[in-house]
Amino acid sequence: MKDLFDKIYKDKGPLGKWAEQAEGYFVFPKLEGPISNRMKFRGKEVITWSINDYLGLANHPEVRKVDAEAAAEYGSAYPMGARMMSGHTDLHERLQDELASFVNKQAAYLLNFGYQGMVSTIDALVSKQDVIVYDVDAHACIIDGVRLHLGQRFTYKHNDMESIEKNLQRATKIAEQTGGGILLISEGVFGMRGEQGKLKEIVELKKKYNFRLFVDDAHGFGTLGKTGAGAGEEQGVQDEIDVYFATFAKSLASTGAFIAGDKEIMDYLKYNLRSQMFAKSLQMQLVVGALKRLEMLRTMPELKEKLWENVNALQNGLKAKGFDIGTTQSCVTPVYLKGSIPEAMALVKDLRENHGVFCSIVVYPVIPKGLILLRMIPTATHTMQDIEETLEAFSAIRERLENGTYKRLSASVEAAMSNK
């Protein structure tokens, strides 16, 4: 019999094997200072394009004031206990009601964390007789939720309607045999590519197939739609989303999440979400803070307007300079370049050290081998100067990538890895 840890000693995983070269700089980096368009990285000021603070609320003085007052009044422990036992309050109910109204649903239910909440919601919605159909590019929290499912599950090609329909046909045959139902899961905005899920087209398929639609709108909530209610509102199909999910970790710049839908469905989930039934309630400081942030989202449309002014300036500037930003339809701004992982490391180090630009780097296995994705998140706090400096920096790094500078600089890293 093997030692359980043998596999760990022998194989650190596709990302873990780079830990010696990457940790503390490329992964697990430490940004310091107030959350804003410019922060400190290793003592140097950098333009930050990796903070999901879309509306600039994280360090807004009104938000900071309410957070501080709530902390002083309630501390960081209140309420103690799970919601069903001793952790429920009027303010939790008020926030749920206001969230439901904002996203045009009958009811909503608070979740302690987005990731944990998504996993638990999927688990509660399906039984082993049911079939799940989901996008192959779904976020890790969806994939982990699907992994818990004891029944059949199928992935469809990313945003591919033909593939979706083909898998709905497969799912229908199985569900008819098992006596179960079908749950189709899409994202409102896919966080790497920035593309919106094809919610309008998916909803049209309800005329032909019997399924329920669950949408993870983490990046759409607060940024898309006339009022900021998300991708469903943007595409005119919010009413057809059966279970709507969003997190506070993006536009609301906080911790927590919520699901929303018909009251009867929310009542069922309230009594069957294991991660909420057996975990401590969302602390009061976060509840009060979320109420303030939601109020600002509703009453200060200039925040979203400024966000989109910056998004359009950045994305149009990149396209004008010939960069490939894919087919993003959201604030998420991917820049695709060709190169190896060692080249990507050299490129990002140059970008941070010599140009003062900090953005996230995404490589294989998240994206195909040979590609480098620099993922940028514009916010309402960025300035036109930030954008101009960044565009100049990107032009410089592209030239060095294409002329082989990064390949030469990364040769030692590549050699070290090939010897392992």
Side-chain angles (χ1 to χ4, degrees):
M1 184 176 71
K2 290 183 178 179
D3 182 335
L4 177 67
F5 290 169
D6 279 350
K7 59 182 179 292
I8 297 173
Y9 300 137
K10 294 175 182 176
D11 183 3
K12 302 298 182 184
L15 293 177
K17 70 178 182 179
W18 295 96
E20 187 177 332
Q21 290 79 15
E23 191 162 329
Y25 195 95
F26 302 102
V27 295
F28 301 104
K30 300 171 186 175
L31 285 169
E32 298 175 323
I35 296 171
S36 189
N37 58 314
R38 293 187 183 232
M39 298 175 69
K40 291 286 185 69
F41 179 63
R42 295 197 162 193
K44 295 181 179 179
E45 183 182 82
V46 290
I47 304 170
T48 49
W49 296 103
S50 291
I51 306 298
N52 292 320
D53 182 24
Y54 284 119
L55 300 177
L57 296 180
N59 209 36
H60 194 286
E62 289 186 43
V63 166
R64 291 288 295 267
K65 181 175 182 292
V66 168
D67 285 352
E69 289 172 350
E73 181 174 357
Y74 296 105
S76 61
Y78 188 85
M80 287 299 295
R83 291 280 296 280
M84 290 186 74
M85 306 300 279
S86 57
H88 191 64
T89 72
D90 287 340
L91 287 175
H92 284 75
E93 289 185 351
R94 179 182 155 194
L95 178 55
Q96 288 175 171
D97 291 344
E98 292 192 17
L99 287 164
S101 176
F102 185 74
V103 298
N104 196 34
K105 294 296 180 187
Q106 287 182 3
Y109 191 65
L110 283 179
L111 308 171
N112 293 351
F113 293 99
Y115 199 111
Q116 171 205 58
M118 173 59 71
V119 171
S120 192
T121 301
I122 294 172
D123 179 52
L125 284 172
V126 292
S127 63
K128 65 181 180 180
Q129 291 81 20
D130 301 321
V131 185
I132 298 176
V133 177
Y134 66 107
D135 195 295
V136 70
D137 279 2
H139 189 270
C141 65
I142 295 174
I143 293 171
D144 283 354
V146 170
R147 283 175 173 171
L148 293 178
H149 181 44
L150 298 176
Q152 294 274 8
R153 66 264 193 149
F154 302 115
T155 57
Y156 57 82
K157 296 176 184 177
H158 174 62
N159 264 352
D160 185 314
M161 295 311 300
E162 184 180 344
S163 179
I164 292 173
E165 187 158 11
K166 185 181 293 183
N167 280 286
L168 281 173
Q169 290 169 354
R170 296 169 69 191
T172 298
K173 289 179 182 178
I174 292 170
E176 286 173 347
Q177 294 171 359
T178 63
I182 301 171
L183 178 67
L184 194 152
I185 308 175
S186 176
E187 295 191 41
V189 173
F190 289 86
M192 287 296 155
R193 300 173 185 253
E195 295 170 345
Q196 292 182 42
K198 292 191 174 180
L199 307 183
K200 189 172 183 179
E201 292 89 339
I202 289 172
V203 162
E204 277 295 305
L205 290 175
K206 283 189 170 187
K207 296 174 182 177
K208 294 176 65 176
Y209 304 95
N210 184 13
F211 65 90
R212 293 294 184 172
L213 177 59
F214 183 17
V215 174
D216 173 357
D217 204 25
H219 289 274
F221 177 73
T223 68
L224 293 175
K226 184 178 179 181
T227 69
E233 182 183 50
E234 177 83 7
Q235 298 182 36
V237 293
Q238 186 75 352
D239 290 347
E240 297 296 326
I241 295 173
D242 297 296
V243 180
Y244 178 89
F245 166 95
T247 174
F248 299 162
K250 308 293 190 293
S251 288
L252 294 192
S254 186
T255 299
F258 72 99
I259 46 176
D262 289 350
K263 185 178 185 303
E264 191 169 356
I265 307 305
M266 291 303 105
D267 284 345
Y268 170 83
L269 290 172
K270 181 167 62 174
Y271 284 90
N272 289 278
L273 280 167
R274 294 175 63 82
S275 67
Q276 309 308 305
M277 294 168 64
F278 302 108
K280 184 180 179 298
S281 176
L282 191 65
Q283 69 184 53
M284 193 67 83
Q285 180 185 356
L286 297 173
V287 173
V288 173
L291 281 165
K292 177 61 179 178
R293 289 160 170 81
L294 185 60
E295 175 197 326
M296 293 173 73
L297 202 163
R298 286 196 310 259
T299 62
M300 297 173 68
E302 63 269 21
L303 295 173
K304 187 160 76 75
E305 290 167 6
K306 176 59 177 171
L307 165 65
W308 276 98
E309 179 185 330
N310 289 339
V311 170
N312 291 329
L314 177 64
Q315 293 184 357
N316 290 338
L318 287 165
K319 286 189 284 188
K321 289 184 175 292
F323 285 95
D324 178 7
I325 65 169
T327 54
T328 181
Q329 303 156 308
S330 68
C331 304
V332 178
T333 305
V335 177
Y336 297 96
L337 299 166
K338 292 181 179 179
S340 64
I341 292 177
E343 283 178 295
M345 290 178 170
L347 179 153
V348 169
K349 189 168 185 179
D350 187 17
L351 196 60
R352 293 176 182 177
E353 300 298 328
N354 300 316
H355 298 281
V357 174
F358 188 102
C359 63
S360 297
I361 174 178
V362 184
V363 293
Y364 178 82
V366 180
I367 59 173
K369 286 183 178 179
L371 277 182
I372 302 168
L373 191 162
L374 299 176
R375 178 176 175 265
M376 306 173 73
I377 302 292
T379 74
T381 63
H382 283 104
T383 66
M384 288 301 141
Q385 183 180 344
D386 295 335
I387 293 169
E388 289 167 8
E389 289 182 23
T390 299
L391 292 174
E392 290 177 11
F394 269 61
S395 293
I397 62 162
R398 178 175 58 187
E399 182 179 346
R400 301 192 84 191
L401 179 65
E402 291 176 349
N403 68 23
T405 300
Y406 296 136
K407 191 171 186 63
R408 291 190 294 274
L409 289 172
S410 65
S412 60
V413 175
E414 212 153 10
M417 291 310 303
S418 64
N419 291 331
K420 288 195 172 186

